Amino acid sequence: MPEKTIPLLPCQTIQPVVDFYTALGFETTYLQKSPYAYAVVERGAIELQFYGMKQYEPTESHSGCYVVTDDVEALHTAFRAGLKAAYGRIPTRGLPRIGPLKDMSYGVRQFLMTDPGGNSIRVGQPISDDFSMRPVPKETFARALHLADLFVDSKEDLPGAAKIIDKALDRTDERPTPEQELRLLVLRGDVAQRLGDTRLAGTLLARAAALALTDAEREAAHDALARLAELTARPEEGLS
């Protein structure tokens, strides 16, 4: 048989992790509770294995894996629907959580989700033949967006992303294009909401919604507009 890599991921308690992946459409193909906790979940060709560690702290986890797919839109939609059915909302901060779809600067369209064990599962689809990191843009606001996206969706450093965006938006010597301003405001509002500052998030998202865009700018900012609509229509879904 061909070689296959199976991630072995830690968690503090097995059952909440199994329940999370069940909501995503995974089948639990093995579950052991003693002498130590262990579980295997599978969905098509995706197989993940988990082991329990009583002293493990999920909020400090750095573990995870990358899942490559040829239809990231379908998986994102299916996973969100499963979480909404299981939890009564789509969790966007805390544990567990799922993030938005984005085109990244290394040739993939991806989203991130984090399970109750703190494991970060990145799901992506190649959109380029070149997976090398793109050079950091020199233009002020393109640079800010490039770096902030990496901080949010690669490093998962939300305070770091907030500092980058705030510095860009506070500039008085130059201004972003309407499309850049929209993307900066939506990303900063998203970060604020995920950090628990719902008042700031509301202010930033209202500013973004008030921007006038041309049809071409709206097309270029499609993902940001979709995220804006989601955050303003269902802000309560990220509050736990």
Side-chain angles (χ1 to χ4, degrees), residues 139-141 168-178 180-181 184-185 207:
E139 193 275 325
T140 299
F141 302 102
L169 290 174
D170 286 345
R171 295 188 70 100
T172 57
D173 57 331
E174 55 182 324
R175 296 301 305 162
T177 66
Q180 289 174 327
E181 186 173 6
L184 287 165
L185 287 169
R207 284 176 58 188

Side-chain angles (χ1 to χ4, degrees), residues 24-236:
L24 298 180
F26 284 73
E27 177 187 0
T28 302
T29 56
Y30 183 81
L31 180 60
Q32 171 182 293
K33 296 187 177 180
S34 65
Y36 56 88
Y38 204 93
V40 180
V41 299
E42 299 182 53
R43 189 184 195 277
I46 307 171
E47 179 177 343
L48 304 173
Q49 300 191 10
F50 300 90
Y51 57 93
M53 294 177 60
K54 291 183 179 180
Q55 304 305 316
Y56 183 75
E57 177 47 60
T59 59
E60 298 177 2
S61 173
H62 294 281
S63 59
C65 69
Y66 203 105
V67 175
V68 179
T69 177
D70 61 2
D71 196 346
V72 71
E73 302 272 355
L75 278 184
H76 190 246
T77 298
F79 287 175
R80 283 168 52 87
L83 292 175
K84 180 68 178 289
Y87 294 92
R89 59 186 176 84
I90 300 172
T92 59
R93 67 182 180 93
L95 294 177
R97 62 180 180 269
I98 187 169
L101 273 170
K102 279 188 179 180
D103 292 343
M104 302 304 294
S105 59
Y106 37 87
V108 298
R109 182 166 176 77
Q110 73 172 26
F111 66 94
L112 275 62
M113 61 183 183
T114 305
D115 66 27
N119 300 295
S120 178
I121 312 299
R122 301 164 189 265
V123 183
Q125 177 178 351
I127 54 175
S128 170
D129 293 330
D130 181 6
F131 301 124
S132 60
M133 185 71 70
R134 305 298 187 267
V136 178
K138 294 183 178 180
E139 193 275 325
T140 299
F141 302 102
R143 179 185 179 87
L145 283 164
H146 177 99
L147 293 175
D149 271 334
L150 291 177
F151 271 59
V152 171
D153 292 311
S154 290
K155 292 183 65 178
E156 295 191 89
D157 180 353
L158 300 183
K163 289 179 181 179
I164 292 170
I165 300 171
D166 289 344
K167 183 177 180 180
L169 290 174
D170 286 345
R171 295 188 70 100
T172 57
D173 57 331
E174 55 182 324
R175 296 301 305 162
T177 66
E179 178 204 338
Q180 289 174 327
E181 186 173 6
L182 174 84
R183 292 176 59 196
L184 287 165
L185 287 169
V186 171
L187 185 56
R188 184 64 180 91
D190 194 352
V191 167
Q193 183 164 297
R194 289 164 64 179
L195 289 173
D197 193 341
T198 55
R199 178 174 296 181
L200 176 59
T203 299
L204 293 165
L205 296 174
R207 284 176 58 188
L211 289 172
L213 301 177
T214 66
D215 289 344
E217 289 169 336
R218 294 184 69 83
E219 177 62 28
H222 175 269
D223 284 345
L225 288 168
R227 188 60 171 165
L228 174 62
E230 178 182 33
L231 291 169
T232 53
R234 297 186 297 274
E236 74 283 357

